[in-house]
Amino acid sequence: GDYELDVLLENDMTCTGIECNVDTLRVVKVGNVYYEFVEKPCIQLAFYRDAKRIQGRDNRKQGQMCANPDLPHAREACCRGERYREVRSASTSYLYDGERMTFSTAAERCGSLC
């Protein structure tokens, strides 16, 4: 069919189901069509307070970087602080594949796993 490639929502949509429990969505389904949210580059401030270190799944290959804890740039990786050096893998509780969340959401979810 004829579907628009770019769609601009004029109003916020009401969430339903698990989408009410996430910080951001990457894909939404409208009717029979899926749309991906593509954030515009360089719209956040380059300097921010209380930066947090984030890293790829395998930090030996992908390295680490600083991120704004108030923006959804990473997903959680939960492990007990007192056993940090022993941990080879962390537990996660993401609600959809590729979910990204703010630091406060990650801390809340990790706290619920204890």
Side-chain angles (χ1 to χ4, degrees):
D2 288 333
Y3 301 106
E4 296 293 324
L5 294 178
D6 295 315
V7 176
L8 177 64
L9 299 177
E10 294 182 14
N11 299 306
D12 290 341
M13 297 176 65
T14 304
C15 64
T16 59
I18 66 165
E19 66 192 36
C20 298
N21 300 320
V22 298
D23 292 329
T24 186
L25 296 174
R26 296 179 70 187
V27 176
V28 294
K29 183 178 181 184
V30 180
N32 293 324
V33 181
Y34 290 90
Y35 291 95
E36 178 183 15
F37 171 70
V38 178
E39 192 167 11
K40 292 183 179 186
C42 304
I43 61 170
Q44 286 94 19
L45 298 175
F47 301 99
Y48 37 84
R49 297 177 189 260
D50 302 320
K52 300 294 181 189
R53 182 177 64 194
I54 61 174
Q55 62 191 42
R57 190 176 277 190
D58 183 352
N59 67 348
R60 290 173 293 160
K61 295 179 183 174
Q62 297 175 343
Q64 303 171 351
M65 61 185 276
C66 290
N68 185 338
D70 297 327
L71 298 175
H73 286 308
R75 71 177 191 191
E76 86 286 20
C78 307
C79 54
R80 294 182 7 216
E82 72 274 9
R83 305 216 39 204
Y84 175 76
R85 299 270 182 228
E86 301 171 29
V87 174
R88 298 251 184 248
S89 64
S91 59
T92 60
S93 63
Y94 56 89
L95 298 180
Y96 65 89
D97 194 35
E99 179 187 6
R100 291 183 177 90
M101 62 192 71
T102 63
F103 180 78
S104 62
T105 298
E108 181 181 307
R109 291 206 194 153
C110 287
S112 70
L113 293 176
C114 295

